Amino acid sequence: MNITEAKYTAKDSGKSIKIIVDGNTMYVPLVEGNRHYDEIQRQVKAGTLTIKDAD
Amino acid sequence: MSKAAELAALIANVNKGSSLAAKNFIQNGSFQVWQRATAATAQTDGDYKTADRWFGWVSGGGAYTTEKSTGHLADTGHENALKVAVTTADTSIASGDYYAITHRIEAQNLQSLQYGSANAKPVTLSFWVKATKTGINTLSLTKDDSTAIRMVKEFTINSSNTWEYKTMTFIPDSSIKTAASAIVNDTGRGFQLNWVLKYGSTYDGTADAWTTSSHFTTSNGVNNMDSTSNTFYLTGVQLEIGEKATAFEHEPYDTTLKKASRYYTEIARADNNTCHLVGYVQATTVARFGFDVSMRTSPTITETNFGILYSTGSEQAVTGVADITQDSQFVSFKLTTAANLNVGEAVVLYANGAATLTFDAEI
């Protein structure tokens, strides 16, 4: 999955992660078992993706 | 197959533990439901693009589209098919490249197979396929839960661009019958079936043998990606308990749609139409959306062109989605707007142009 950007949507706690996949914007819940969240975690662990802090 | 032979096959499978109804573990195997798109759409790696419950893998220099193809009823007993069309050829497959069409099955739907026990049951896969390239093709069945284990099967395309019916049986061996091969009774991934267009040599293995290695094909497989003239069609896919392929279990459209909606659903509204979603405003607008079918897990949400219409008749554009949760009846989430609305106010979603909300809980 080609995730080109990942960013938390809010500062106070993990709300959701906004990701860009092949140019499309998606909002991913912080829930294991959601395939996008699992892929984000896999890529973060592999060092190929960093989740940016919320604005 | 004669009626007598069909009945014999059905009885044989029932004796192996199959059922007379709801026997097909594949969802949308007749390609009736296309919530995302029906027209040719470029496949990206690991994403669902067109037919519900079906997605593709793309990694390499080639590219392909998938689309809804119609007019196959007389040949196959199924009006619709998934069409794969190569749009960029890859004549030099690197070792790590892969191209495939995939279907995944939720783990709790596979408990009747009794994997991880001495009573593990065989399953038989049947499908119609039409491909430009003749020769040996491959597919793999992966049991993902607990210890991942898979088996590759070869099948032959005898005639170019001609519908052919294929069947194959996966017999559990001692490795499937050990506790480590149990399929956990949960919402995770149970099975994955890959129709290989072409994989690189890294993934070559041996046909008809269960393995824990990442072998999804054999070196015998033709390269369906080697020309932009190549197409690959699939329909009538059925996976059932037993060692015999039986007649495809057709089901009403709404039954298939309801099954598919556990994994993906979308709301589309034309310009200036309201969405039947009512929320209220705290610091952000809270939306609770009820579905006929509970989604498999908290879904990923996309939003396009929706605004929030509130009491003054004014509208605020939606700028984001947060706090996505799922309970037994609702998906709840917060919609953020450029400016805060009044606390306690009831609101509705309003389309600014062609607007869509999608909810993706695919496996």
Side-chain angles (χ1 to χ4, degrees):
Chain A
M1 191 176 294
N2 181 28
I3 303 174
T4 51
E5 185 179 327
K7 187 176 184 178
Y8 286 110
T9 58
K11 285 182 179 176
D12 49 353
S13 64
K15 298 291 187 184
S16 67
I17 302 172
K18 177 182 177 180
I19 61 172
I20 310 292
V21 180
D22 297 314
N24 300 313
T25 301
M26 303 176 175
Y27 297 91
V28 180
L30 310 186
V31 175
E32 287 184 14
N34 174 291
R35 68 189 178 101
H36 295 108
Y37 182 72
D38 292 347
E39 178 63 17
I40 291 167
Q41 295 306 305
R42 189 191 69 77
Q43 293 191 21
V44 168
K45 192 174 180 181
T48 57
L49 180 69
T50 301
I51 308 173
K52 296 176 184 173
D53 291 334
D55 293 330
Chain B
M1 183 184 290
S2 69
K3 288 296 176 190
E6 195 174 296
L7 181 61
L10 191 60
I11 291 170
N13 281 3
V14 168
N15 289 338
K16 290 282 186 182
S18 184
S19 59
L20 291 171
K23 65 183 178 183
N24 190 1
F25 292 108
I26 303 293
Q27 295 176 338
N28 202 24
S30 195
F31 295 98
Q32 289 287 85
V33 178
W34 303 72
Q35 292 188 84
R36 294 173 177 85
T38 56
T41 304
Q43 183 63 57
T44 54
D45 189 34
D47 280 332
Y48 292 76
K49 291 295 186 182
T50 54
D52 278 60
R53 305 303 342 279
W54 293 86
F55 74 100
W57 298 106
V58 181
S59 180
Y64 66 87
T65 57
T66 63
E67 65 185 285
K68 179 181 180 179
S69 177
T70 61
H72 307 294
L73 191 63
D75 289 327
T76 69
H78 305 271
E79 172 62 14
N80 298 338
L82 177 73
K83 176 184 178 182
V84 175
V86 177
T87 52
T88 302
D90 187 346
T91 57
S92 181
I93 304 289
S95 58
D97 288 354
Y98 51 81
Y99 306 91
I101 297 296
T102 295
H103 184 87
R104 287 174 171 168
I105 303 172
E106 189 171 336
Q108 61 186 352
N109 291 347
L110 294 167
Q111 296 306 300
S112 57
L113 298 183
Q114 294 181 273
Y115 272 34
S117 83
N119 297 318
K121 294 180 168 58
V123 290
T124 293
L125 178 69
S126 55
F127 58 91
W128 286 91
V129 61
K130 181 171 77 169
T132 304
K133 296 281 290 189
T134 58
I136 294 173
N137 277 252
T138 63
L139 64 79
S140 63
L141 183 151
T142 301
K143 194 274 312 172
D144 274 309
D145 248 343
S146 308
T147 303
I149 186 167
R150 60 185 55 85
M151 181 186 279
V152 177
K153 290 282 187 181
E154 294 182 341
F155 61 96
T156 301
I157 299 294
N158 299 300
S159 301
S160 180
N161 296 323
T162 304
W163 280 111
E164 299 177 18
Y165 181 66
K166 307 296 179 187
T167 73
M168 54 201 67
T169 299
F170 298 83
I171 305 289
D173 69 355
S174 57
S175 65
I176 293 293
K177 295 177 180 178
T178 62
S181 286
I183 299 173
V184 179
N185 188 26
D186 63 11
T187 59
R189 194 188 315 163
F191 272 179
Q192 172 169 292
L193 281 156
N194 281 10
W195 278 259
V196 173
L197 299 171
K198 186 60 183 175
Y199 270 48
S201 59
T202 296
Y203 305 103
D204 286 345
T206 304
D208 301 315
W210 291 103
T211 178
T212 54
S213 300
S214 296
H215 295 159
F216 294 90
T217 188
T218 72
S219 59
N220 297 324
V222 298
N223 180 7
N224 288 291
M225 294 296 300
D226 67 1
S227 168
T228 54
S229 298
N230 292 352
T231 56
F232 187 97
Y233 293 77
L234 190 64
T235 195
V237 185
Q238 180 158 276
L239 182 71
E240 60 192 306
I241 290 176
E243 299 178 20
K244 307 284 186 185
T246 64
F248 185 86
E249 183 180 26
H250 291 277
E251 58 188 13
Y253 175 86
D254 64 315
T255 299
T256 306
L257 176 61
K258 187 168 282 189
K259 289 179 180 177
S261 296
R262 174 169 172 76
Y263 305 92
Y264 178 85
T265 192
E266 70 176 43
I267 311 298
R269 288 291 180 273
D271 190 19
N272 293 329
N273 279 287
T274 56
C275 180
H276 61 277
L277 180 151
V278 178
Y280 64 95
V281 178
Q282 294 176 319
T284 53
T285 299
V286 178
R288 284 172 65 79
F289 210 109
F291 298 105
D292 292 340
V293 181
S294 292
M295 302 204 78
R296 184 187 64 84
T297 186
S298 296
T300 296
I301 297 177
T302 66
E303 176 278 325
T304 306
N305 289 339
F306 270 114
I308 293 174
L309 190 67
Y310 55 109
S311 61
T312 64
S314 301
E315 186 180 347
Q316 286 283 343
V318 172
T319 56
V321 181
D323 271 5
I324 306 162
T325 58
Q326 151 89 358
D327 61 29
S328 61
Q329 293 177 304
F330 292 96
V331 171
S332 297
F333 50 96
K334 289 182 177 177
L335 297 166
T336 53
T337 53
N340 285 336
L341 306 178
N342 299 320
V343 173
E345 190 167 25
V347 297
V348 295
L349 280 183
Y350 191 79
N352 270 328
T356 56
L357 263 177
T358 71
F359 303 86
D360 183 336
E362 287 285 2
I363 303 175

